[in-house]
Amino acid sequence: MSELASGTGTMVTPRAERPEAGPGGAAATPAEMAPLEVTDLRTTFVSRTRRTEVVRGVSFTLRRGETMMLLGESGSGKSVTARSIMRLYGSSAEIGGQVKLGGRDLLDLPEAELRSVRGGQVALIPQDPTGALDPLRRIGSQLTEVLRVHGIEHTRRAARARAEELLRTVGIPDPARVATSFPHELSGGMRQRAVIALAVSCDPQVLIADEPTTALDVTVQAQILELLADLQHRLGTAVLMVTHDVGVAGDFGGRIGVMYAGKLVEEGPAADVLSAPRHPYTKGLLESLPTPEVERGRLRSIVGSPPGVGEFPDGCVFAPRCPQAVASCHESDPPLLRIAPGRGAACPVANPPRPVDSAEPGRAA
């Protein structure tokens, strides 16, 4: 049994090894095992002169211990989706739909109650650790504050011991020294590990990682991904990771949700989506990657450019760039259709309905 030591000297059993119970102590049903259910999430930024819809009807379910990657190019709405779940935009954005965590809709919670959820039940690993850490406070001080605010530890001594244990857990070899260091005294990789320690300090149900390896070199990037996978295995945490890197999405596994212009256009197991894409946009992304078989200087690209933020055309937003587009694509925006068990794609042209076998009416061939 893998265990994490707490600052009080007791042992913390990882969530993956804790028995889940439903109402009345009965075994939890599959629905109850889903810590995060996002339904028709919509985010609109509001200013004095305009309203700009950035996230347009995103829905997915993330179960305990599961990983989901939000994959797409810059400006597709990945990070806004992730941050909207935690309501981090304040009064500058209107967020609609439902974001249920343990049966509670986070979009309906009062701000005071939401503060206890952030960091405690849902935690964020931001893209820029330098900007996320307070430059005027030592790393240990920032960790102990989180532990005491959320009631994990009640004394300074216990919180300091737990902070050092967390730093050791994320692979920092000299946690006592790092705990007394300021952020500018650490390398980029060490700062990212410190931010991960902050994120997992309260054993959250859901961990949102917003491009956690963007500013790191390839070697450190691999170490951080390995660390996240190890922590997920030990704690049983559900992970929602935002990335524009197809390689990272493939390495981390789980499920992939491909985003384009604020919508999910394809979803499914990572291996299936990357080996047999069912949406023209996903196929175009994969074909643009450099491989040993591609002749030098002849990388393929997707024709045209993504639409501007809030400037979405009628019909399917990818139709102006799509090699498979037909007239109907410019008339209606297709929803995410179930095309196979565990697979969805928002393209009826690339995934036409299967014919019905005349010998067995009512059954798909």
Side-chain angles (χ1 to χ4, degrees):
M1 175 184 293
S2 62
E3 295 173 317
L4 297 178
S6 76
T8 59
T10 58
M11 302 304 289
V12 179
T13 306
R15 180 176 286 113
E17 298 174 6
R18 301 176 197 161
E20 299 293 342
T29 65
E32 291 163 349
M33 291 288 285
L36 185 66
E37 296 177 87
V38 178
T39 306
D40 196 29
L41 182 66
R42 296 177 179 273
T43 302
T44 303
F45 289 100
V46 182
S47 68
R48 292 183 179 181
T49 58
R50 64 181 299 189
R51 297 171 57 85
T52 306
E53 190 176 34
V54 177
V55 177
R56 307 183 302 129
V58 170
S59 300
F60 62 86
T61 299
L62 189 61
R63 294 180 173 81
R64 298 194 190 281
E66 188 177 34
T67 300
M68 181 165 181
M69 314 290 294
L70 291 182
L71 175 67
E73 58 195 315
S74 297
S76 61
K78 309 181 302 297
S79 293
V80 176
T81 297
R83 290 171 179 266
S84 295
I85 290 169
M86 299 179 70
R87 283 171 52 190
L88 293 178
Y89 291 111
S91 60
S92 65
E94 294 178 358
I95 302 175
Q98 284 188 331
V99 177
K100 286 192 174 183
L101 180 72
R104 293 189 301 171
D105 190 349
L106 301 187
L107 302 188
D108 289 337
L109 292 183
E111 186 62 31
E113 190 173 349
L114 184 63
R115 279 198 295 270
S116 68
V117 173
R118 294 190 192 120
Q121 298 176 52
V122 182
L124 174 70
I125 301 174
Q127 187 173 146
D128 177 18
T130 303
L133 294 168
D134 187 336
L136 302 180
R137 297 178 61 194
R138 301 179 193 275
I139 298 297
S141 172
Q142 298 183 56
L143 271 167
T144 56
E145 179 185 36
V146 172
L147 291 168
R148 298 194 69 187
V149 165
H150 288 282
I152 305 300
E153 302 293 353
H154 299 286
T155 67
R156 291 185 179 180
R157 185 173 184 177
R160 284 196 296 268
R162 175 64 171 159
E164 290 187 16
E165 181 60 36
L166 283 164
L167 292 173
R168 185 177 294 109
T169 297
V170 297
I172 291 177
D174 190 355
R177 178 187 66 79
V178 171
T180 60
S181 301
F182 290 98
H184 71 270
E185 297 177 308
L186 305 179
S187 67
M190 293 281 271
R191 282 194 294 269
Q192 190 63 282
R193 289 175 187 270
V195 167
I196 293 173
L198 281 164
V200 302
S201 60
C202 299
D203 190 14
Q205 295 180 45
V206 178
L207 186 61
I208 298 175
D210 186 5
E211 307 246 22
T213 61
T214 295
L216 306 176
D217 62 51
V218 175
T219 301
V220 178
Q221 180 184 95
Q223 293 172 355
I224 294 299
L225 291 176
E226 184 178 356
L227 169 63
L228 288 174
D230 179 60
L231 289 171
Q232 181 185 29
H233 174 72
R234 285 195 276 172
L235 300 175
T237 307
V239 175
L240 177 66
M241 185 179 293
V242 171
T243 184
H244 64 270
D245 190 324
V246 175
V248 168
D251 290 342
F252 210 74
R255 289 189 297 130
I256 288 180
V258 181
M259 289 195 69
Y260 182 79
K263 294 188 64 176
L264 278 177
V265 296
E266 182 165 359
E267 183 185 356
D272 295 344
V273 171
L274 298 181
S275 63
R278 302 289 293 270
H279 191 281
Y281 174 64
T282 311
K283 185 178 180 182
L285 276 182
L286 298 177
E287 289 178 345
S288 67
L289 295 175
T291 63
E293 294 77 25
V294 176
E295 186 178 346
R296 184 174 181 179
R298 294 188 178 274
L299 287 177
R300 299 184 62 176
S301 62
I302 301 175
V303 175
S305 301
V309 176
E311 300 174 353
F312 306 120
D314 293 334
C316 173
V317 288
F318 188 62
R321 307 176 68 190
C322 181
Q324 295 179 246
V326 297
S328 61
C329 296
H330 299 276
E331 298 170 0
S332 61
D333 193 7
L336 195 69
L337 304 171
R338 184 178 182 274
I339 56 174
R343 295 289 304 272
C347 184
V349 175
N351 302 280
R354 298 174 66 183
V356 176
D357 190 334
S358 58
E360 298 182 77
R363 285 189 58 185

